[in-house]
Amino acid sequence: MAAPAEPCAGPVWNQTEPAPAAAHLLSLCFLKTAGVWVPPMYLWVLGPIHLLYIHRHDKGYLQMSALFKAKMVLGFALIVLCTSSVSVTLWRIHRGMAQALEFLIYPTVWLTTMSFAVFLIHFERKKGVQASGVLFGYWLLCFLFPAISAAQQASQGDFQGDPFRHLSTYLCLSLVGAQFALSCLADQPPFFPKEPPQSNPCPKAGASFPSKAMFWWVSGLVWRGYQRPLGLNDLWSLGRENSSEELVSQLEKEWTRNRSAAQRCTEAARFKRKGSHGVEASETEVLLQQQGDKRGPLLRAIWQVYRSAFLLGTLSLIISDVFRFTVPKLLSLFLEFIADPAIPAWKGYLLAVLMFLSACLQTLFEQQHMYRLKVLQMRLRTALIGLVYRKVLALSSSSRKASAVGDAVNVASVDVQRVIESITFLNGLWLPLIWIVICFVYLWQLLGPSALTAIAVFLSLLPLNFFITKKRNHHQEEQMRQKDSRARLTSSILRNVRTVKYHGWEGAFLDRVLRIRGHELGALRTSSLLFSVSLVSFQVSTFLVALVVFAVHTLVAEENAMDAEKAFVTLTVLNILNKAQAFLPFSIHSVVQARVSFDRLAAFLCLEEVDPEAVDLSPSRCPAREDCIRVQEGTFAWARESPPCLHRINLTVPRGCLLAVVGPVGAGKSSLLSALLGELSKLEGSVSIQGSVAYVPQEAWVQNTSVVENVCFGQELDPLWLERVLEACALWPDVGSLPAGIHTQAGEQGMTLSGGQKQRLSLARAVYRRAAVYLLDDPLAALDAHVGQHVFNQVIGPDGLLQGTTRILVTHSLHVLPQADCIVVLEDGAIAEMGSFQELLHRKGALVGLLDGARQPGDGGEGETEPPAGTKDPSGSAGGTRPQDGPERSMKLVPEKDSATSEAQMGVPLDDPEGTGQPKEEDNMPYGRVKATMYLTYLRAVGTPLCLYTLFLFLCQQVASFCRGYWLSLWADDPTVDGRQTQAALRGWVFGLLGCLQAIGLFASMATVLLGGIRASTLLFRKLLWDVARSPIGFFEQTPIGNLLNRFSKETDIVDVDIPDRLRSLLMYAFGLLEVALVVTVATPLAVVAVLPLLLLYAGFQRLYVASSCQLRRLESARYSFVCSHVAETFQGGTVIRAFRAQGPFVAQSNARVDESQRVSFPRLVADRWLAANLELLGNGLVFAAALCAVLSKAHLSPGLVGFSVSAALQVTQTLQWAVRSWTDLESSIVSVERLRDYALTPKEAPWRPSCAARPWPRGGQIEFRNFGLRYRPELPLAVRDVSFKIHAGEKVGIVGRTGAGKSSLAGGLLRLLEAAEGGIWIDGVPIAQVGLHTLRSRITIIPQDPILFPGSLRMNLDMLQEHTDEAIWAALETVQLRAVVATLPGQLHYECADQGDNLSVGQKQLLCLARALLRKTQILILDEATAAVDPGTERQMQAALSSWFAQCTVLLIAHRLSSVLDCARVLVMDEGQVAESGSPAQLLAQKGLFYRLAQESGLV
């Protein structure tokens, strides 16, 4: 209750009184009145809002703890005390004693307020509030203001006059102080919490309010990080409010609603326009689609979900700015106090305390603003990544062609990151303008109408900044386009690195990537220079304001003169103005970047999706003898705007039927399966399927999980059924040989498995599903004859596990057709004929033509080690997922044993902490602080001369800044003669010259830093690219593609943009700190006593923080790599996931990975707040020390010197805090340099082009293996051993054997993808170990099983090194019978191939690869099952082309169909890594050995 001893006798304000402002604001009467009314008003305003909030956010009640009981006892004691004060006053009035009215009103107000406070304490316990911020503020106000009244009463004495009121005042103050102390503590957790308990809950929930306000609850984690490296077990569990499940569902709901509304508006506008301007309808539709259906709905959805959090953070920032602008006013009052000796000393101390409190409150509210926005950023990132992932799961085939996997990863990493980073700067688009207006008001008060001239300065610079922003937007878009192009090409290279190394194309691709990178950095360079101009323009505008205002103020009016108060308060205001000027370009820069990324994100989210209504799918099983699958008059296309790929399909498949689909390459077989899956755009007709569907793509898609998880695919484990499935799919022997059995990690894209194993694993996944309908896209193509026959008999055939189910089998294996119930023959996207095998034979139609076209109609299955690389038909169709295949085919070179003993020998690490098959990259991460060598690496990349020049420029501009400030202080100290300063004109000219010099130095220094950063980015990226390109094939088999892509996208982006920007900030703040330290030391040497301890504390905080921050940064980056890998994996397997209706489990996996990433992000962001809040609070102590020293030394200091000292101290807080933050941010970002250099020390391949071999080598093509052996790692046994044979020049040799025998390993050894462990290989008498890799690989042509094309023109794909004329390319195309097809393509040879050649069929891609081989025409040709993906008729055409072009060449034919090697002069039979048999086909058949048994299995004998 703090009633005054006697009422205020006079008015609080007296407008006629000439006393200084300090006398009004600091009068005891005013302070006592404020002390009575402010606390009740505070509680009655915020209390009801607080009640409503905690009522809606009930956390469960708290038990009656000792803390609660103590609060209630004190609360009731205060109520009793206030009641007694009211009673005593009423008793005195009743007794006729004169009492001022305020003696009755004040205690009554406090009585009701105290009662409300006690009710709040009780209600908070019922709702589970452990620490109350509202009551903390209330008790603080109740304690601070009455303390002044109590001090006054104690100083006046007069205790005997009214002892009751004195005692009640002191007792009230004591009780309130006790309540305030208790409010600093936190109560126990709720007894029955609403949320389930977590294993490692975040300590914020149980922290006290001061701990929450100053982030002390983070100290335990920071201290642990300082003592030892942080691990995942040290991090807190993620709360439900931050989980993906909660956040994504909220945003997805609003996004769907807003997008639907936008589409309705678009359709309405289009209909309206069509009615009035018919022809213009299409243009309107496009415009509305671009502007209305993309950015707008997403922006509205984000605003509707997160506006409350954003507005609350904005409110905190506004309150912080109120205290920010309180400081200059308090400084003005403080200088009045210094200038007037009559003002009592207690007011000086009070002003010093108020300045300190204002600065502290500004800090606390600003950090709460940052915390809320950072949490908002984290939540928005979770929600946006969730939206992107769900979009990836639903992308249509046409969208997949338009957006490669690299684009999806780029959107999920770079674009989402830039969008969320812009949230911090959104308020920077308008709030600095408010700051500027308030600063003008202050300047008007200080300098009068002269301040108006500043408006003209700002308005004159606005057009320049708008122009710069527009130009930067253009260059930013260009940079993002080039970045997309680079990401797409880099992704394609990494995924097909085996093909690149087969042909020695690394140099050509490096040149392409670096050319695109040059364009990207050129756009970034221009953008950075424009950014520097923007920053300098705002800096110059601040200087021009000071120059113009001071000049006009002193030169125009004779009575105006500069004095200390005007100069230093103006400088303080201009410092705030300077922050506004600096914040505005940062905000514009960030929002410009975010707008481009936001448009790309919105465009991705608006890509066409698979139509869920395309197929009428009934989950119930089809009754017996009824049609399970029905297609009526179906016409389908891969995109609505593209021509149809299937025409008027009429198909009915009864339950239990085995339907075989055959036809030549490009007939539309895989397209038919895609149509049944709903992957195609249905133009006409209907499709209906009864029962669940399982799908086996032609190109096996394997998850990066264990074998058993791949087979079960989210279903419950049934051990008996799993054993039957693995046995039927011929996987049981393989599983027994794998290192961890069924728990062996398959690796990314199944890199620890061979191609045959992946295909059988894909089939096992479908069989385990126990579906009603099976769509099988040539699953036998990747299996040899024996295994293929076993799989057909045990799984697909009439007596297999799938008997009784409906099966549609696309196949080139014509020998299985007699066992099919029905056969469909497709030609040119239409059904040519349909019926049983015997019926079609009698018709002598298309099927008979196919059989006649095959030289060996009874051939067994096709390929072995590697599955076909695509599933597309010539119409551009794709039967399956079209994964980005290639680099992870680890078994291409491993010894190919029948099961998987070779995979066991590989020893792929299986102890990944997450069990996801990732390599142990996280285990190898360095801990603690970043090593100094990383800084040296970056600075060397910048260049030593440029670094020294940059430091010199920063020093020059800071010297100019110091001289400008010092010159202004001299100007203020000039004596006045007749009310004027005689040297005002000279002072103004020199001041302007120094400002211009500083502006020039600032631009030069910032531009040098940014250009040096681009130079470093160029060199570091080139080195990373070189390190990866020079790595052997084993490196790519063990390194997840997501980790590599993360380095080429996110980490590269940090090196490009973040490091130069943070280095520029660090240098600016560091040199600014040196200037401020010099000013403070010169002005008030006593302040050094406070500066030194503060510096030690600063260093201590930074030392505690940096080790934890850097380790959290590494963990966050590694976790984010897993998120990117999962996005890429899902993009590749989207068709399979949708076919199995497994979107739900995959969404759950994505949520778990993103939550793990955010679980690392949250501690990092709150650790940042912990550092910032505590550093600024320490810096505010310097302001208090400087002011306190000024009060103590008031008699010996002039007002000018005091103003100089305090204004400089006010700068120290922000400057030193941001210097430490910039250093810490730079150290966190420099981790990216560390990660870019991760692969510098990994083993590298032999030199590409040493000059050992003669130029015209080889002449004949003789190959000799001498005791050749190889192993895959040094610690593993030999995979191929004791291989010795000689192939004569021009000889055609076939190499056969079972799966895993080592056939492809010989080809890999010949191309030196793996170096020989013993013995060697000689070509024309020259040991290949002495020949450069590119020289060797350019002299050998290999046509691998995987037909791989790269993004770029068709001509580039055929002639990668640009060695041939167009005429030669057309001749090669004519030889492979593709000239007519290419002639019809848009652009012909310049036709742009999609990533992986997805806009061409598998057969067309294989023929293009053959044409590429024909153009090389080397003396040695290797065919590694190059005809597995084509029908027998096309194979015959390929063999004829090869025979004519390579008639005089040495040919190694690695075959799985023995019919392919019957015309070879000699056949080598491989078994367990050794040559088991050798001789002509006739000799080997006569021996009746292994070759004879293989021939029997293939039906040749």
Side-chain angles (χ1 to χ4, degrees):
M1 170 191 73
E6 56 186 50
C8 295
V12 176
W13 303 105
N14 186 353
Q15 299 294 338
T16 61
E17 187 178 337
H24 300 306
L25 294 176
L26 302 181
S27 66
L28 282 176
C29 187
F30 171 76
L31 293 174
K32 286 188 289 184
T33 305
V36 170
W37 289 104
V38 168
M41 290 174 62
Y42 164 86
L43 191 62
W44 285 107
V45 170
L46 295 184
I49 301 174
H50 180 57
L51 277 176
L52 181 63
Y53 177 81
I54 62 177
H55 177 69
R56 291 184 176 179
H57 298 79
D58 189 359
K59 299 178 182 177
Y61 72 88
L62 307 178
Q63 284 185 305
M64 283 193 183
S65 63
L67 179 62
F68 169 76
K69 293 174 182 177
K71 288 179 180 179
M72 294 299 287
V73 168
L74 291 175
F76 282 119
L78 283 168
I79 291 175
V80 170
L81 186 61
C82 293
T83 304
S84 65
S85 296
V86 173
S87 301
V88 168
T89 303
L90 290 174
W91 176 77
R92 288 178 176 177
I93 294 174
H94 182 71
R95 292 285 301 271
M97 300 172 64
Q99 297 290 313
L101 190 59
E102 61 192 58
F103 289 155
L104 182 62
I105 294 175
Y106 291 172
T108 305
V109 171
W110 274 55
L111 174 62
T112 56
T113 308
M114 288 294 176
S115 302
F116 184 40
V118 171
F119 171 74
L120 271 179
I121 294 173
H122 171 72
F123 194 75
E124 284 178 343
R125 183 187 72 84
K126 300 291 287 184
K127 296 298 181 180
V129 178
Q130 296 176 252
S132 174
V134 171
L135 287 177
F136 176 88
Y138 172 69
W139 296 124
L140 178 64
L141 291 174
C142 287
F143 180 75
L144 285 179
F145 284 101
I148 300 171
S149 176
Q152 184 214 23
Q153 287 186 206
S155 62
Q156 289 178 350
D158 194 28
F159 181 81
Q160 299 295 331
D162 194 349
F164 172 78
R165 193 150 283 136
H166 277 272
L167 288 174
S168 63
T169 299
Y170 301 146
L171 184 57
C172 178
L173 189 63
S174 302
L175 292 174
V176 167
Q179 279 281 30
F180 173 69
L182 293 180
S183 69
C184 294
L185 305 176
D187 214 328
Q188 59 190 2
F191 192 61
F192 291 114
K194 299 291 184 181
E195 298 291 336
Q198 296 174 323
S199 57
N200 187 14
C202 177
K204 181 189 175 186
S208 64
F209 180 76
S211 177
K212 290 179 181 178
M214 289 174 276
F215 301 95
W216 291 338
W217 55 273
V218 190
S219 302
L221 181 70
V222 176
W223 180 250
R224 274 200 305 276
Y226 175 71
Q227 290 179 313
R228 58 178 173 81
L230 290 174
L232 288 176
N233 293 332
D234 296 313
L235 305 181
W236 311 307
S237 302
L238 206 62
R240 177 174 173 77
E241 69 278 3
N242 294 324
S243 66
S244 295
E245 182 181 1
E246 184 80 10
L247 296 170
V248 180
S249 61
Q250 294 174 358
L251 185 59
E252 188 176 29
K253 177 183 176 183
E254 293 297 330
W255 159 244
T256 304
R257 186 173 63 82
N258 280 279
R259 189 181 176 194
S260 300
Q263 288 173 345
R264 287 194 298 271
C265 293
T266 300
E267 292 171 2
R270 183 178 61 192
F271 179 78
K272 182 179 179 182
R273 179 64 62 95
K274 199 175 279 187
S276 56
H277 301 285
V279 179
E280 301 176 11
S282 60
E283 295 180 4
T284 304
E285 180 182 357
V286 171
L287 183 64
L288 288 171
Q289 180 69 21
Q290 288 178 345
Q291 296 183 354
D293 283 352
K294 292 187 180 179
R295 186 195 308 158
L298 182 59
L299 199 57
R300 285 192 294 273
I302 292 174
W303 174 250
Q304 286 159 359
V305 174
Y306 298 107
R307 61 187 173 191
S308 58
F310 179 76
L311 292 176
L312 196 58
T314 302
L315 178 63
S316 299
L317 182 60
I318 292 172
I319 297 174
S320 168
D321 288 338
V322 170
F323 291 108
R324 185 192 310 276
F325 285 102
T326 303
V327 172
K329 190 64 180 176
L330 291 174
L331 176 61
S332 179
L333 296 177
F334 189 74
L335 292 178
E336 286 184 11
F337 161 77
I338 295 293
D340 188 355
I343 300 178
W346 68 266
K347 293 190 177 183
Y349 292 116
L350 178 60
L351 283 169
V353 171
L354 289 177
M355 274 196 291
F356 174 69
L357 289 178
S358 295
C360 288
L361 289 171
Q362 175 202 333
T363 294
L364 294 179
F365 277 102
E366 187 172 15
Q367 294 311 317
Q368 284 299 316
H369 154 75
M370 290 300 297
Y371 169 72
R372 292 181 184 281
L373 289 196
K374 289 293 183 181
V375 171
L376 172 58
Q377 286 179 339
M378 184 187 79
R379 293 175 177 174
L380 182 58
R381 180 169 76 165
T382 299
L384 289 178
I385 290 176
L387 281 186
V388 170
Y389 184 81
R390 284 152 180 77
K391 187 70 179 184
V392 166
L393 275 175
L395 283 177
S396 67
S397 57
S398 59
S399 298
R400 288 171 182 272
K401 292 177 186 177
S403 179
V405 61
D407 296 335
V409 173
N410 222 13
V411 167
S413 57
V414 177
D415 290 327
V416 168
Q417 187 65 25
R418 286 192 169 174
V419 167
I420 65 168
E421 283 176 352
S422 68
I423 291 176
T424 312
F425 297 98
L426 287 178
N427 285 316
L429 297 178
W430 65 274
L431 203 55
L433 301 177
I434 306 297
W435 292 4
I436 292 170
V437 171
I438 297 176
C439 288
F440 283 153
V441 172
Y442 271 125
L443 292 175
W444 179 278
Q445 292 179 347
L446 289 166
L447 305 173
S450 305
L452 289 175
T453 56
I455 299 176
V457 178
F458 281 109
L459 292 179
S460 63
L461 291 174
L462 280 179
L464 172 65
N465 287 289
F466 280 125
F467 173 76
I468 292 173
T469 303
K470 185 176 179 181
K471 296 294 290 183
R472 287 195 65 247
N473 191 11
H474 168 73
H475 290 290
Q476 187 68 32
E477 291 176 354
E478 175 63 22
Q479 183 203 354
M480 295 302 287
R481 280 195 296 270
Q482 297 295 337
K483 180 180 294 185
D484 276 350
S485 179
R486 173 175 60 82
R488 193 177 298 115
L489 180 60
T490 305
S491 174
S492 180
I493 295 170
L494 293 175
R495 296 179 186 284
N496 303 300
V497 69
R498 187 180 298 277
T499 300
V500 174
K501 289 190 174 293
Y502 272 151
H503 297 87
W505 287 337
E506 293 97 329
F509 278 111
L510 288 182
D511 291 341
R512 284 190 63 196
V513 172
L514 292 176
R515 188 162 55 249
I516 297 173
R517 174 73 170 164
H519 296 315
E520 177 190 347
L521 290 181
L524 179 62
R525 183 182 297 108
T526 307
S527 178
S528 299
L529 289 175
L530 289 171
F531 181 49
S532 301
V533 174
S534 178
L535 277 176
V536 171
S537 69
F538 279 99
Q539 186 78 14
V540 167
S541 67
T542 305
F543 152 69
L544 286 177
V545 169
L547 174 64
V548 172
V549 167
F550 288 155
V552 171
H553 181 70
T554 55
L555 298 179
V556 172
E558 294 184 359
E559 68 276 6
N560 290 339
M562 293 293 292
D563 57 32
E565 182 181 349
K566 288 179 182 179
F568 292 110
V569 176
T570 300
L571 279 179
T572 304
V573 173
L574 289 180
N575 284 330
I576 298 176
L577 188 62
N578 189 37
K579 293 184 180 71
Q581 304 299 317
F583 193 33
L584 194 56
F586 274 118
S587 303
I588 295 173
H589 173 63
S590 176
V591 172
V592 163
Q593 284 187 325
R595 181 171 176 252
V596 177
S597 293
F598 192 85
D599 287 344
R600 287 156 42 87
L601 174 64
F604 182 83
L605 293 177
C606 289
L607 287 174
E608 184 186 13
E609 297 183 4
V610 171
D611 182 9
E613 307 298 327
V615 178
D616 182 12
L617 186 63
S618 173
S620 59
R621 281 188 174 267
C622 175
R625 294 184 299 278
E626 288 192 15
D627 294 333
C628 251
I629 300 174
R630 183 185 299 272
V631 183
Q632 294 181 336
E633 296 296 326
T635 300
F636 305 91
W638 283 96
R640 291 201 170 273
E641 62 276 7
S642 64
C645 59
L646 293 173
H647 309 271
R648 304 188 69 80
I649 301 295
N650 287 283
L651 179 66
T652 57
V653 185
R655 177 180 173 181
C657 174
L658 171 57
L659 174 70
V661 181
V662 296
V665 170
K669 303 181 295 298
S670 297
S671 301
L672 178 60
L673 295 190
S674 296
L676 295 177
L677 289 170
E679 296 294 317
L680 300 187
S681 294
K682 184 176 62 177
L683 305 181
E684 295 177 4
S686 63
V687 182
S688 63
I689 298 178
Q690 283 196 326
S692 57
V693 177
Y695 171 59
V696 179
Q698 183 182 3
E699 187 174 350
W701 175 73
V702 179
Q703 276 187 275
N704 190 1
T705 56
S706 66
V707 171
V708 65
E709 288 173 319
N710 267 287
V711 175
C712 294
F713 206 58
Q715 290 195 312
E716 281 189 42
L717 177 63
D718 183 346
L720 296 179
W721 177 240
L722 176 65
E723 185 175 347
R724 287 186 63 192
V725 170
L726 294 179
E727 182 66 37
C729 294
L731 276 171
W732 199 247
D734 300 77
V735 168
S737 303
L738 291 174
I742 60 174
H743 300 291
T744 300
Q745 299 296 317
E748 193 158 346
Q749 294 189 358
M751 66 183 180
T752 64
L753 306 175
S754 72
Q757 289 168 336
K758 286 192 285 187
Q759 190 64 44
R760 283 177 277 146
L761 188 62
S762 177
L763 180 62
R765 174 173 57 210
V767 176
Y768 188 85
R769 198 75 174 178
R770 288 174 169 152
V773 177
Y774 285 86
L775 305 179
L776 311 173
D777 195 354
D778 209 1
L780 306 178
L783 311 177
D784 63 21
H786 170 69
V787 177
Q789 193 63 46
H790 170 87
V791 168
F792 183 82
N793 293 335
Q794 297 294 319
V795 179
I796 304 171
D799 300 322
L801 281 182
L802 300 184
Q803 61 177 333
T805 63
T806 306
R807 292 144 289 161
I808 297 184
L809 173 65
V810 170
T811 184
H812 289 140
S813 304
L814 304 182
H815 72 283
V816 306
L817 296 184
Q819 301 183 64
D821 298 319
C822 186
I823 299 171
V824 169
V825 183
L826 289 176
E827 283 186 353
D828 296 327
I831 296 179
E833 57 182 2
M834 181 168 56
S836 67
F837 184 72
Q838 294 301 326
E839 290 174 357
L840 297 184
L841 285 183
H842 291 316
R843 291 182 193 172
K844 298 188 182 300
L847 178 63
V848 175
L850 280 176
L851 296 175
D852 291 342
R855 289 179 295 174
Q856 298 290 337
D859 282 353
E862 304 173 32
E864 172 207 78
T865 310
E866 297 297 331
T871 55
K872 301 189 69 157
D873 298 325
S875 54
S877 63
T881 58
R882 304 196 301 280
Q884 312 293 334
D885 214 291
E888 283 72 39
R889 295 189 180 281
S890 62
M891 297 308 298
K892 185 86 174 180
L893 295 178
V894 296
E896 301 159 328
K897 301 189 179 179
D898 186 47
S899 52
T901 54
S902 55
E903 286 81 346
Q905 293 171 356
M906 288 183 65
V908 176
L910 301 170
D911 52 351
D912 178 68
E914 295 305 304
T916 57
Q918 303 283 2
K920 297 190 292 183
E921 175 180 334
E922 190 177 307
D923 296 344
N924 297 327
M925 285 195 307
Y927 292 101
R929 301 190 62 165
V930 178
K931 295 179 181 177
T933 52
M934 286 301 106
Y935 293 100
L936 293 177
T937 299
Y938 185 80
L939 294 178
R940 287 194 195 103
V942 173
T944 304
L946 194 60
C947 292
L948 296 176
Y949 182 59
T950 302
L951 292 176
F952 174 73
L953 287 175
F954 269 102
L955 180 62
C956 289
Q957 72 91 18
Q958 208 64 53
V959 167
S961 174
F962 174 81
C963 292
R964 181 168 61 90
Y966 182 68
W967 187 262
L968 181 62
S969 68
L970 294 179
W971 189 358
D973 288 338
D974 278 347
T976 57
V977 179
D978 298 329
R980 299 192 62 182
Q981 294 169 315
T982 56
Q983 299 182 356
L986 175 63
R987 297 294 190 190
W989 280 108
V990 175
F991 181 75
L993 178 62
L994 290 172
C996 292
L997 289 177
Q998 183 197 0
I1000 294 171
L1002 186 65
F1003 172 75
S1005 57
M1006 288 194 300
T1008 306
V1009 169
L1010 296 174
L1011 293 177
I1014 291 175
R1015 184 173 187 270
S1017 295
T1018 304
L1019 296 178
L1020 290 172
F1021 181 85
R1022 187 187 298 268
K1023 188 68 173 68
L1024 170 68
L1025 198 61
W1026 179 258
D1027 287 336
V1028 172
R1030 293 280 292 112
S1031 298
I1033 197 68
F1035 167 82
F1036 299 96
E1037 292 166 353
Q1038 300 171 50
T1039 306
I1041 204 74
N1043 290 4
L1044 291 171
L1045 290 176
N1046 192 47
R1047 281 162 176 77
F1048 281 104
S1049 58
K1050 184 181 179 183
E1051 306 297 345
T1052 298
D1053 190 61
I1054 290 175
V1055 174
D1056 286 350
V1057 179
D1058 290 358
I1059 292 181
D1061 189 56
R1062 287 166 180 175
L1063 184 59
R1064 175 194 58 77
S1065 298
L1066 174 63
L1067 290 173
M1068 284 185 64
Y1069 289 124
F1071 278 95
L1073 180 61
L1074 290 177
E1075 177 191 352
V1076 172
L1078 179 63
V1079 170
V1080 172
T1081 305
V1082 169
T1084 51
L1086 187 61
V1088 176
V1089 178
V1091 170
L1092 293 179
L1094 287 175
L1095 285 176
L1096 293 177
L1097 288 172
Y1098 272 113
F1101 273 113
Q1102 186 196 18
R1103 190 172 180 83
L1104 282 173
Y1105 167 80
V1106 170
S1108 301
S1109 174
C1110 290
Q1111 185 61 18
L1112 287 170
R1113 170 75 173 80
R1114 294 188 184 103
L1115 286 172
E1116 183 181 20
S1117 186
R1119 295 286 131 189
Y1120 208 69
S1121 293
F1122 297 162
V1123 174
C1124 293
S1125 296
H1126 194 234
V1127 171
E1129 181 181 79
T1130 303
F1131 188 95
Q1132 297 156 2
T1135 306
V1136 176
I1137 296 169
R1138 285 193 297 273
F1140 281 79
R1141 299 293 187 266
Q1143 292 97 322
F1146 271 82
V1147 167
Q1149 288 181 32
S1150 172
N1151 289 347
R1153 289 173 184 253
V1154 174
D1155 287 348
E1156 277 296 301
S1157 174
Q1158 302 299 60
R1159 191 170 158 233
V1160 182
S1161 299
F1162 181 70
R1164 195 167 79 90
L1165 77 86
V1166 293
D1168 288 345
R1169 296 305 104 221
W1170 172 86
L1171 176 75
N1174 287 282
L1175 286 185
E1176 288 201 19
L1177 288 175
L1178 284 177
N1180 293 334
L1182 181 60
V1183 178
F1184 182 66
L1188 201 60
C1189 291
V1191 175
L1192 291 172
S1193 307
K1194 177 182 178 181
H1196 310 292
L1197 293 176
S1198 66
L1201 200 58
V1202 172
F1204 197 28
S1205 171
V1206 175
S1207 63
L1210 287 170
Q1211 293 182 58
V1212 157
T1213 301
Q1214 291 288 324
T1215 303
L1216 190 53
Q1217 190 263 121
W1218 278 107
V1220 175
R1221 283 294 306 278
S1222 298
W1223 174 265
T1224 309
D1225 288 344
L1226 178 63
E1227 185 151 352
S1228 296
S1229 298
I1230 212 76
V1231 174
S1232 294
V1233 176
E1234 193 175 25
R1235 289 171 68 81
L1236 292 188
R1237 298 284 294 156
D1238 275 349
Y1239 305 133
L1241 301 179
T1242 55
K1244 299 295 184 286
E1245 286 183 316
W1248 282 345
R1249 291 191 180 278
S1251 56
C1252 296
R1255 190 69 177 165
W1257 173 90
R1259 293 180 180 275
Q1262 175 182 292
I1263 304 172
E1264 184 177 1
F1265 285 74
R1266 301 178 186 174
N1267 298 321
F1268 177 74
L1270 61 79
R1271 54 167 57 94
Y1272 295 94
R1273 295 185 194 166
E1275 69 274 10
L1276 298 178
L1278 290 173
V1280 174
R1281 59 188 183 278
D1282 297 331
V1283 173
S1284 298
F1285 60 87
K1286 189 173 185 180
I1287 301 174
H1288 300 289
E1291 186 178 8
K1292 183 177 181 181
V1293 177
I1295 303 176
V1296 298
R1298 295 188 185 279
T1299 301
K1303 305 180 298 298
S1304 295
S1305 302
L1306 293 181
L1310 186 59
L1311 290 163
R1312 289 180 63 192
L1313 287 187
L1314 286 174
E1315 299 291 349
E1318 60 182 27
I1321 304 173
W1322 276 253
I1323 297 179
D1324 281 358
V1326 177
I1328 64 171
Q1330 299 177 8
V1331 181
L1333 292 182
H1334 281 186
T1335 304
L1336 171 68
R1337 293 167 184 173
S1338 65
R1339 304 298 197 272
I1340 300 175
T1341 297
I1342 181 170
I1343 305 179
Q1345 181 179 349
D1346 306 329
I1348 297 298
L1349 297 180
F1350 296 89
S1353 69
L1354 199 60
R1355 193 194 194 290
M1356 182 276 294
N1357 273 284
L1358 292 172
D1359 182 19
M1360 194 68 65
L1361 303 179
Q1362 300 181 356
E1363 298 173 331
H1364 304 285
T1365 63
D1366 286 357
E1367 290 76 14
I1369 294 174
W1370 281 114
L1373 289 172
E1374 188 166 11
T1375 303
V1376 299
Q1377 301 183 7
L1378 277 182
R1379 183 181 183 115
V1381 175
V1382 174
T1384 61
L1385 294 175
Q1388 297 183 348
L1389 288 180
H1390 298 288
Y1391 174 71
E1392 285 292 318
C1393 298
D1395 194 16
Q1396 300 282 337
D1398 283 351
N1399 43 4
L1400 298 170
S1401 75
V1402 173
Q1404 289 171 334
K1405 289 192 290 184
Q1406 191 64 278
L1407 292 173
L1408 286 172
C1409 291
L1410 174 59
R1412 187 161 60 197
L1414 299 182
L1415 285 169
R1416 287 168 67 98
K1417 198 174 182 180
T1418 56
Q1419 285 298 115
I1420 300 174
L1421 173 66
I1422 303 173
L1423 298 174
D1424 189 1
E1425 192 48 47
T1427 59
V1430 298
D1431 59 85
T1434 307
E1435 180 187 7
R1436 188 177 62 179
Q1437 297 171 7
M1438 294 178 64
Q1439 295 289 359
L1442 292 171
S1443 299
S1444 62
W1445 279 64
F1446 291 95
Q1448 306 300 319
C1449 300
T1450 305
V1451 178
L1452 277 70
L1453 176 58
I1454 299 173
H1456 312 119
R1457 290 187 289 196
L1458 296 191
S1459 58
S1460 303
V1461 302
L1462 294 182
D1463 61 344
C1464 293
R1466 187 151 50 109
V1467 175
L1468 300 177
V1469 183
M1470 298 293 295
D1471 186 36
E1472 296 187 353
Q1474 293 181 301
V1475 178
E1477 298 175 1
S1478 176
S1480 67
Q1483 291 173 341
L1484 295 178
L1485 287 173
Q1487 290 178 7
K1488 295 193 175 181
L1490 179 57
F1491 184 78
Y1492 181 81
R1493 293 195 297 274
L1494 292 173
Q1496 280 185 318
E1497 294 168 359
S1498 299
L1500 295 179
V1501 295

